Amino acid sequence: MTGRLCGVGLGPGDPELVTVKAARLIAEADVVAYHSARHGRSIARAIAEPYLRPGQVEEQLVYPVTTETTAHPGGYTAAIAEFYTEAAARLAAHLDAGRDVVLLAEGDPMFFSSYMHMHKLLGNRYETLIVPGVTSVSAAAAAVGTPLVEGDQILTVLPGTLSAEVLTERLRSTDAAAIMKVSRHFAGIQAALESAGRLADACYVERASAANQRLSAAADVDPRTVPYMALVLVPGAAAASGATAHASEADGHPEPAGRVDVVGLGPAGRDWLTPQAQTVLAAADHVVGYGPYVDRVPANPRQCRHRSDNRVESERASFALDLALRGASVAVVSSGDPGVFAMASAVIEAAAEDRYVEVEVGVVPGLTAAQAVASQVGAPLGHDFATISLSDRLKPWDIVAARLDAAAGADLVIAIYNPASRARRHQIADARDLLLRHRTPETPVVVGRAVGSAEQEIRVTTLGGLDPETIDMRCLLIVGSSQTRVVAAPGGRKRVFTPRRYPATP
């Protein structure tokens, strides 16, 4: 009579989290097998040690390779496949002799466990018994003390070995996630979390339930310090915040949808924030936006903060609307005014989809960058003016050039947003040359950089003297019309204004 193969889950590390059944089977087993790296230490055996008895046969299955390279002619995959075949033969010898074999598994035997390989090789030949264990995901959630999902939310378990693109997409499309196998891939995981707008919510858990357990915000972890026994949790927004996804107990109908407010933060600092914006931000359950803008909102432990990259506007809008569908109050933040080259348009466009018909969307205006820069020098926008972005990421450059040409030909003052970035340098020089076809080189130009912040810079120059190398993404330019004037101000400063009167035409 052959023996029985038992895959026994030990839980995540704390010996007290081993089940009563697992402890009994370990103590009764003829043979106790466990995997280890070449250094010989086995976490599984250390967890099981309190339940071992003298005289048991121990089979240590030593991996020939873990993360290092191998000289095996078939490479890593072939080396590991050969190891599993040899290990299965060793266990089969005991089973054929009628001995029961307990194969120890950290966590759960059927969840990212080495036991699965032995099960596939031996399970069709011998009687098997699988004893489930507490998973590292469950232990990590308990350690963090934050619910992962509730109601109809979806939890996705992801291997950190996925490509950054696939991992980002998976994170965007799920309510909550647990990311396993993170050690050597943590830098890429951090990047994927940031791209998906989930980095601010992600929790890092190292050695969950063990005496040397470590918890941290995923954003604060140095990738060079991450061991094998670590994972990342991204809780579902409703579960983590206390917002409910359940049906109403009173009438059996779903809870009403929440709302999304797109909030303008002004150019910088609390002094530039309107009282209406402060009120809406204070009442929100979630704050969603480009990372640096979210950072400008004072932290509130009651709120969930969702930081994302500046190039995912439509994804950010849908994410905010999905939160509102679950009953949450969401503030999507933009610098300046949300309706001027910012998030209001993206949110309202996304809200036009049928699935968001019940979501209320509001727009809270903010002081624009153009207004802020103008205020620092006087009144350059005192007459008709145009506002144009030089970015050609969402519209072709020939359209930008045509609009600049039309505004310059109409003798409008022009406020220029997004004039240059590290990767986009030619546009500002091309724009200057195009404007010089219509304006004299002496035309006043105001360059405002980081207005409202401690790094604020204000320069008054001329169109002919404008140096494109001094312009970056934090700048806004105001190019005067033929009527714009520069006058002296106290302290050697300059005032710039455009008169409200325009000369009569012949």
Side-chain angles (χ1 to χ4, degrees):
M1 183 175 179
T2 59
R4 180 175 63 174
L5 175 65
C6 301
V8 174
L10 300 173
D14 182 351
E16 293 186 342
L17 290 178
V18 174
T19 65
V20 173
K21 186 171 186 177
R24 176 178 61 80
L25 288 173
I26 292 170
E28 293 175 352
D30 301 309
V31 179
V32 176
Y34 51 87
H35 292 84
S36 78
R38 287 187 293 179
H39 52 57
R41 297 183 300 275
S42 168
I43 295 174
R45 189 195 183 283
I47 299 170
E49 187 168 9
Y51 312 107
L52 297 174
R53 60 176 172 80
Q56 287 176 301
V57 176
E58 295 189 19
E59 281 285 358
Q60 184 175 5
L61 309 175
V62 181
Y63 288 109
V65 62
T66 49
T67 60
E68 65 272 20
T69 57
T70 176
H72 193 288
Y76 176 88
T77 301
I80 290 296
E82 185 177 286
F83 160 71
Y84 283 133
T85 300
E86 293 173 352
R90 289 169 59 184
L91 299 187
H94 290 293
L95 295 167
D96 288 338
R99 304 183 191 104
D100 288 342
V101 176
V102 163
L103 179 54
L104 304 178
E106 301 152 36
D108 183 272
M110 305 303 278
F111 186 75
F112 288 115
S113 169
S114 295
Y115 168 77
M116 294 184 293
H117 301 284
M118 295 297 97
H119 187 82
K120 287 187 287 187
L121 290 169
L122 300 173
N124 62 339
R125 296 162 51 192
Y126 303 96
E127 178 188 355
T128 61
L129 174 65
I130 298 171
V131 180
V134 177
T135 69
S136 57
V137 174
S138 301
V144 172
T146 300
L148 292 179
V149 284
E150 69 171 58
D152 296 329
Q153 290 187 314
I154 297 170
L155 171 66
T156 303
V157 179
L158 301 165
T161 52
L162 293 172
S163 69
E165 294 77 12
V166 173
L167 190 57
T168 298
E169 183 57 34
R170 295 281 188 174
L171 287 166
R172 285 175 180 163
S173 62
T174 191
D175 296 303
I179 308 176
M180 316 285 290
K181 304 181 180 180
V182 302
S183 55
R184 292 183 298 129
H185 311 280
F186 199 79
I189 291 168
Q190 283 178 318
L193 286 164
E194 184 168 15
S195 295
R198 310 298 294 270
L199 182 59
D201 309 315
C203 306
Y204 170 84
V205 184
E206 182 178 302
R207 301 183 175 93
S209 82
N212 55 348
Q213 171 182 286
R214 175 191 170 204
L215 308 178
S216 176
D220 298 335
V221 176
D222 182 347
R224 296 170 297 180
T225 67
V226 177
Y228 177 77
M229 300 294 288
L231 56 79
V232 172
L233 297 181
V234 185
S241 68
T244 181
H246 295 154
S248 167
E249 294 181 2
D251 56 16
H253 295 295
E255 292 284 348
R259 64 175 289 127
V260 174
D261 287 289
V262 194
V263 181
L265 301 177
R270 188 177 179 86
D271 289 345
W272 302 76
L273 190 66
T274 68
Q276 183 190 17
Q278 293 179 35
T279 299
V280 171
L281 290 172
D285 301 315
H286 300 266
V287 178
V288 175
Y290 175 43
Y293 300 158
V294 172
D295 293 343
R296 286 173 50 187
V297 180
N300 183 331
R302 178 185 60 78
Q303 296 174 326
C304 291
R305 298 158 72 86
H306 309 273
R307 304 168 77 258
S308 54
D309 186 84
N310 204 27
R311 295 164 292 182
V312 292
E313 289 184 352
S314 59
E315 294 90 341
R316 185 157 58 233
S318 296
F319 176 72
L321 290 162
D322 285 336
L323 290 175
L325 275 180
R326 303 176 194 130
S329 174
V330 185
V332 178
V333 294
S334 284
S335 182
D337 182 274
V340 179
F341 303 122
M343 281 300 300
S345 177
V347 172
I348 291 173
E349 181 179 8
E353 297 180 24
D354 291 343
R355 59 184 172 139
Y356 299 127
V357 67
E358 298 298 326
V359 177
E360 188 69 36
V361 176
V363 177
V364 179
L367 186 66
T368 70
Q371 292 169 312
V373 171
S375 72
Q376 301 303 291
V377 295
L381 305 180
H383 208 294
D384 300 337
F385 69 94
T387 301
I388 296 175
S389 169
L390 292 195
S391 174
D392 56 359
R393 189 172 69 85
L394 299 177
K395 63 180 183 292
W397 175 250
D398 59 348
I399 295 296
V400 179
R403 291 175 178 178
L404 277 172
D405 188 70
D411 200 21
L412 296 172
V413 175
I414 305 173
I416 297 178
Y417 281 69
N418 307 315
S421 68
R422 282 177 294 183
R424 184 170 49 79
R425 302 302 308 171
H426 75 87
Q427 287 90 338
I428 183 62
D430 291 352
R432 178 200 57 192
D433 296 343
L434 187 154
L435 293 171
L436 282 170
R437 299 176 194 168
H438 301 273
R439 307 279 166 88
T440 68
E442 293 75 29
T443 300
V445 175
V446 181
V447 179
R449 186 179 187 278
V451 173
S453 73
E455 295 82 35
Q456 172 175 309
E457 298 176 18
I458 298 290
R459 290 184 287 118
V460 178
T461 182
T462 62
L463 190 58
L466 178 64
D467 180 3
E469 294 304 313
T470 65
I471 307 301
D472 61 22
M473 199 63 176
R474 300 187 72 189
C475 293
L476 181 135
L477 279 60
I478 298 177
V479 180
S481 72
S482 65
Q483 303 304 304
T484 303
R485 301 287 180 262
V486 179
V487 296
R493 295 179 293 109
K494 296 177 180 179
R495 288 196 182 117
V496 183
F497 71 102
T498 302
R500 295 187 63 193
R501 299 181 185 85
Y502 200 85
T505 55

